[in-house]
Each structure stands twice: as C-alpha cells, then as structure tokens.
Amino acid sequence: MIELTIAVKNFPQILTKAYNQTLNVSSTAILTCHIRDLGEHHVTWFKHDSSTFLSYPLTVGKELFTTDKRYSISSYSTSMRESYWSLEIYQLHLSDEGTYLCQITNRRATTSVPIFLHIQIPMILSPSNLYVEPGTNVKLNCSILIDNENNQSLLLPINWFFLSNQFNKTKPDDIHVRKRLINNSLNSYLIIHHAQTYHSGIWICVYRRQRRTAKLIVEKDVLQRQRISALLSNNSQRHSSLSNCLLFIMCIVYYRLLFV
C-alpha cells in the first residue's frame, strides 16, 4: 500500500510519513497523524483487510464506526494550522495486526498515509548464557505468552537453530525438543543430553518475526577457570582499594607535616 495524495488548492496536508510500529500483545497502540490546515475537513481512520484488499472505516472525525470498545479517537491542536489525530487501540490482540490508513477526502481531492502495526507475543529464552562441563545435560527454555483472545500462537511453531564456528557434529539423537503449555505460557524446551564441546555456540529460538539467542559454552574445567577468574578479579579490586587507601593516608600525613 502506498501513500495517496491528489492535491487541490487549500486542501489539508498530512505531514506524517508512512511508518511501522511494533508492540506486544495486551499493550496499547497510539497511531498518530499530523495534519496541517484541516479546516472543516474530517480525518478518517481505516483498517486495510489484506484478505479482501478492502479498507473499512473505524472513525470519521471524532465519531467511532466500530462497536469494539477497545478503540478510541483523540485530537489536539498546537496552532491554528497544526493538529494531531490519534487512533488508540487498547489491550492489543494478534488480530489487530495490519495496515491502518489515516485519510482526508472530499469530492475533489484525497490524501492518506499508511501505518503498519505489527503485534508480537512477549518471548523469553533462558538461560541466555550457559557454561557447562562436557557430559552435562543442558535445557534451554523458550517461552511465549499466550494471547487469551485468540490462540493462534498455539498453531505456530517455535523453531530452533544453531550457529557455531565448529564443524557441526550434532546428531539427531543429541537434541530433543519438548513443547509444553503451562498456564498462559507456551514453552519449547531444547534438551541436549551429555553436551559435548561441539554443542558450543549460539542457539536461537524463533517465533514469527521474533528471535532470541543463548550462548552455550561446553568446555573442560570451564567452571573452575571461571571461579579462578572471579577470584583474581576480586583480589585485584581489593588491592586497588588498599592502594587508594594507603595513598589517601600518605596525603593526609604529608599535609599535616607541611603545615606544622
């Protein structure tokens, strides 16, 4: 869909350019149109139906043309010429995703701008960093929140991918994926039995347009090296604090001797 403008003299301008907005399910969308010289004309909001290629009106001016109580319209002016018109949608559903059109029209002219609204489901991959010894069983959990209004999320899979700088020696028997619904959360568990060094890399879970990554390091004595590194870091910090303290004391002694 493209911006449509058929201009005539003294016809209002839509200063907003086409843009994308991505929001989570259950959040609030505020789609705003910046208008110049609206005068006696009306701003109309449409939603485009991609299945029929038709657009149906949601609001005309401040009048709602939908029975869905989640919709509202608001406007304000910053000068005699400039005004802002916002279509607000509360408690977003997946079905609210699509193209919305801000339009001003009369018998002689029309101008419009599309706004693309993308709805995503909150998604978490945990743990995001994991360091283990060879032979350890590993479990990564990729979870998404189910939209209670429409359970399309149950129909779409959560897919897993693996990126590594090593030759991929992973065997089908190494990896198991389990899907489980817990309350209003859909969980996909990636399970690696007896993880080996060639399982080290970036594991990615993908749902629709979203992706989350987890770094897995499988290495012998990796935990011991981490503890040693943390210990050395703490010792370094303590030595630094001690040095600063001694320097401060020496400065006090010096100034006292100087002014005695």
Side-chain angles (χ1 to χ4, degrees), residues 111-167:
T111 181
S112 63
V113 63
I115 299 172
F116 307 95
L117 180 61
H118 302 292
I119 311 299
Q120 65 182 17
I121 297 176
M123 181 176 177
I124 299 172
L125 174 57
S126 63
S128 57
N129 288 281
L130 191 59
Y131 299 84
V132 300
E133 300 278 342
T136 304
N137 291 333
V138 170
K139 182 164 74 171
L140 302 176
N141 178 21
C142 192
S143 61
I144 59 173
L145 182 68
I146 300 300
D147 180 12
N148 293 323
E149 294 298 324
N150 51 69
N151 290 330
Q152 297 177 27
S153 48
L154 293 173
L155 304 177
L156 299 173
I158 297 175
N159 296 309
W160 289 90
F161 299 91
F162 178 50
L163 296 177
S164 175
N165 57 6
Q166 302 183 44
F167 177 72

Side-chain angles (χ1 to χ4, degrees), residues 16-29:
T16 301
K17 301 299 182 183
Y19 66 90
N20 296 302
Q21 188 171 145
T22 300
L23 296 168
N24 285 336
V25 164
S26 299
S27 61
T28 298

Side-chain angles (χ1 to χ4, degrees), residues 21 23-24 26-31 45-47 58 66 68-73 86-93 95-98 100 117 119:
Q21 188 171 145
L23 296 168
N24 285 336
S26 299
S27 61
T28 298
I30 301 177
L31 311 180
W45 283 95
F46 293 89
K47 185 179 181 186
L58 297 170
T66 174
D68 193 331
K69 297 184 182 299
R70 298 179 303 117
Y71 285 80
S72 70
I73 188 75
S86 296
L87 176 69
E88 301 175 10
I89 313 170
Y90 305 100
Q91 291 295 316
L92 286 171
H93 302 162
S95 57
D96 293 320
E97 182 169 282
Y100 292 80
L117 180 61
I119 311 299

Side-chain angles (χ1 to χ4, degrees), residues 186-203:
L186 177 63
N187 298 269
S188 178
Y189 298 99
L190 180 93
I191 301 168
I192 307 174
H193 293 297
H194 308 295
Q196 300 301 317
T197 55
Y198 51 77
H199 291 122
S200 296
I202 303 298
W203 292 88

Side-chain angles (χ1 to χ4, degrees), residues 62-93:
K62 292 194 173 182
E63 295 294 323
L64 289 173
F65 280 77
T66 174
T67 57
D68 193 331
K69 297 184 182 299
R70 298 179 303 117
Y71 285 80
S72 70
I73 188 75
S74 64
S75 67
Y76 66 93
S77 299
T78 56
S79 69
M80 293 292 291
R81 300 183 63 192
E82 312 287 329
S83 61
Y84 294 80
W85 290 76
S86 296
L87 176 69
E88 301 175 10
I89 313 170
Y90 305 100
Q91 291 295 316
L92 286 171
H93 302 162

